PDB file of all heavy atoms in Angstrom:
ATOM      1  N   ARG A 150     -25.875 -55.008   4.057  1.00 94.00           N
ATOM      2  CA  ARG A 150     -24.930 -56.253   3.924  1.00 94.00           C
ATOM      3  C   ARG A 150     -23.671 -55.800   3.226  1.00 94.00           C
ATOM      4  O   ARG A 150     -22.572 -56.173   3.680  1.00 94.00           O
ATOM      5  CB  ARG A 150     -25.709 -57.302   3.092  1.00 94.00           C
ATOM      6  CG  ARG A 150     -24.938 -58.557   3.075  1.00 94.00           C
ATOM      7  CD  ARG A 150     -25.648 -59.540   2.246  1.00 94.00           C
ATOM      8  NE  ARG A 150     -25.179 -60.920   2.592  1.00 94.00           N
ATOM      9  CZ  ARG A 150     -25.477 -62.014   1.871  1.00 94.00           C
ATOM     10  NH1 ARG A 150     -26.192 -61.886   0.766  1.00 94.00           N
ATOM     11  NH2 ARG A 150     -25.128 -63.128   2.174  1.00 94.00           N
ATOM     12  N   ASP A 153     -21.602 -53.568   5.450  1.00 94.00           N
ATOM     13  CA  ASP A 153     -20.927 -54.270   6.526  1.00 94.00           C
ATOM     14  C   ASP A 153     -19.646 -54.919   6.089  1.00 94.00           C
ATOM     15  O   ASP A 153     -18.531 -54.902   6.802  1.00 94.00           O
ATOM     16  CB  ASP A 153     -21.786 -55.487   7.091  1.00 94.00           C
ATOM     17  CG  ASP A 153     -21.272 -56.126   8.336  1.00 94.00           C
ATOM     18  OD1 ASP A 153     -21.042 -55.349   9.267  1.00 94.00           O
ATOM     19  OD2 ASP A 153     -21.060 -57.304   8.275  1.00 94.00           O
ATOM     20  N   SER A 181     -43.889 -45.570  11.489  1.00 85.00           N
ATOM     21  CA  SER A 181     -44.841 -46.716  11.410  1.00 85.00           C
ATOM     22  C   SER A 181     -44.132 -48.053  11.361  1.00 85.00           C
ATOM     23  O   SER A 181     -44.812 -49.011  10.917  1.00 85.00           O
ATOM     24  CB  SER A 181     -45.719 -46.458  10.155  1.00 85.00           C
ATOM     25  OG  SER A 181     -44.885 -46.124   9.016  1.00 85.00           O
ATOM     26  N   ASP A 182     -42.848 -48.112  11.866  1.00 86.00           N
ATOM     27  CA  ASP A 182     -42.186 -49.311  11.966  1.00 86.00           C
ATOM     28  C   ASP A 182     -41.958 -50.040  10.669  1.00 86.00           C
ATOM     29  O   ASP A 182     -41.917 -51.221  10.733  1.00 86.00           O
ATOM     30  CB  ASP A 182     -42.876 -50.235  13.009  1.00 86.00           C
ATOM     31  CG  ASP A 182     -42.634 -49.720  14.366  1.00 86.00           C
ATOM     32  OD1 ASP A 182     -41.600 -49.123  14.619  1.00 86.00           O
ATOM     33  OD2 ASP A 182     -43.543 -49.804  15.230  1.00 86.00           O
ATOM     34  N   LEU A 193     -26.044 -52.422  14.257  1.00 93.00           N
ATOM     35  CA  LEU A 193     -25.854 -53.560  13.417  1.00 93.00           C
ATOM     36  C   LEU A 193     -24.437 -53.463  12.767  1.00 93.00           C
ATOM     37  O   LEU A 193     -23.813 -54.478  12.618  1.00 93.00           O
ATOM     38  CB  LEU A 193     -26.864 -53.554  12.316  1.00 93.00           C
ATOM     39  CG  LEU A 193     -28.237 -54.051  12.762  1.00 93.00           C
ATOM     40  CD1 LEU A 193     -29.285 -53.889  11.685  1.00 93.00           C
ATOM     41  CD2 LEU A 193     -28.277 -55.660  13.039  1.00 93.00           C
TER      42      LEU A 193
ATOM     43  N   MET B   1     -47.320 -54.298  13.302  1.00 58.00           N
ATOM     44  CA  MET B   1     -46.349 -53.704  12.502  1.00 58.00           C
ATOM     45  C   MET B   1     -44.976 -53.721  13.143  1.00 58.00           C
ATOM     46  O   MET B   1     -43.922 -53.937  12.601  1.00 58.00           O
ATOM     47  CB  MET B   1     -46.740 -52.245  12.217  1.00 58.00           C
ATOM     48  CG  MET B   1     -46.123 -51.698  10.977  1.00 58.00           C
ATOM     49  SD  MET B   1     -46.439 -52.652   9.501  1.00 58.00           S
ATOM     50  CE  MET B   1     -48.005 -52.084   9.072  1.00 58.00           C
ATOM     51  N   LYS B   2     -45.026 -53.546  14.576  1.00 64.00           N
ATOM     52  CA  LYS B   2     -43.730 -53.512  15.399  1.00 64.00           C
ATOM     53  C   LYS B   2     -43.089 -54.907  15.192  1.00 64.00           C
ATOM     54  O   LYS B   2     -41.870 -54.939  15.031  1.00 64.00           O
ATOM     55  CB  LYS B   2     -44.168 -53.299  16.882  1.00 64.00           C
ATOM     56  CG  LYS B   2     -42.952 -53.128  17.695  1.00 64.00           C
ATOM     57  CD  LYS B   2     -42.781 -51.565  17.925  1.00 64.00           C
ATOM     58  CE  LYS B   2     -41.638 -51.272  18.790  1.00 64.00           C
ATOM     59  NZ  LYS B   2     -41.225 -49.853  18.717  1.00 64.00           N
ATOM     60  N   LYS B   5     -41.154 -55.070  12.136  1.00 67.00           N
ATOM     61  CA  LYS B   5     -39.893 -54.289  12.118  1.00 67.00           C
ATOM     62  C   LYS B   5     -38.765 -55.216  12.822  1.00 67.00           C
ATOM     63  O   LYS B   5     -37.715 -55.282  12.417  1.00 67.00           O
ATOM     64  CB  LYS B   5     -40.068 -53.049  12.837  1.00 67.00           C
ATOM     65  CG  LYS B   5     -38.855 -52.154  12.765  1.00 67.00           C
ATOM     66  CD  LYS B   5     -38.991 -50.970  13.678  1.00 67.00           C
ATOM     67  CE  LYS B   5     -37.723 -50.257  13.830  1.00 67.00           C
ATOM     68  NZ  LYS B   5     -37.772 -49.152  14.855  1.00 67.00           N
ATOM     69  N   ASP B  19     -22.480 -63.639   7.459  1.00 83.00           N
ATOM     70  CA  ASP B  19     -21.540 -63.099   6.504  1.00 83.00           C
ATOM     71  C   ASP B  19     -20.185 -62.922   7.338  1.00 83.00           C
ATOM     72  O   ASP B  19     -19.057 -63.297   6.835  1.00 83.00           O
ATOM     73  CB  ASP B  19     -21.933 -61.682   6.010  1.00 83.00           C
ATOM     74  CG  ASP B  19     -22.927 -61.815   4.831  1.00 83.00           C
ATOM     75  OD1 ASP B  19     -23.195 -63.039   4.466  1.00 83.00           O
ATOM     76  OD2 ASP B  19     -23.464 -60.879   4.438  1.00 83.00           O
ATOM     77  N   ARG B  20     -20.213 -62.316   8.559  1.00 83.00           N
ATOM     78  CA  ARG B  20     -19.049 -62.011   9.348  1.00 83.00           C
ATOM     79  C   ARG B  20     -18.319 -63.335   9.682  1.00 83.00           C
ATOM     80  O   ARG B  20     -17.105 -63.395   9.730  1.00 83.00           O
ATOM     81  CB  ARG B  20     -19.446 -61.291  10.569  1.00 83.00           C
ATOM     82  CG  ARG B  20     -19.612 -59.813  10.362  1.00 83.00           C
ATOM     83  CD  ARG B  20     -20.199 -59.163  11.578  1.00 83.00           C
ATOM     84  NE  ARG B  20     -20.711 -57.730  11.338  1.00 83.00           N
ATOM     85  CZ  ARG B  20     -21.634 -57.222  12.053  1.00 83.00           C
ATOM     86  NH1 ARG B  20     -22.175 -57.796  13.065  1.00 83.00           N
ATOM     87  NH2 ARG B  20     -22.139 -56.054  11.728  1.00 83.00           N
TER      88      ARG B  20
END
Side-chain angles (χ1 to χ4, degrees):
Chain A
R150 190 183 200 191
D153 190 57
S181 49
D182 290 326
L193 285 169
Chain B
M1 204 57 80
K2 192 98 184 163
K5 189 189 170 192
D19 284 350
R20 281 173 193 154

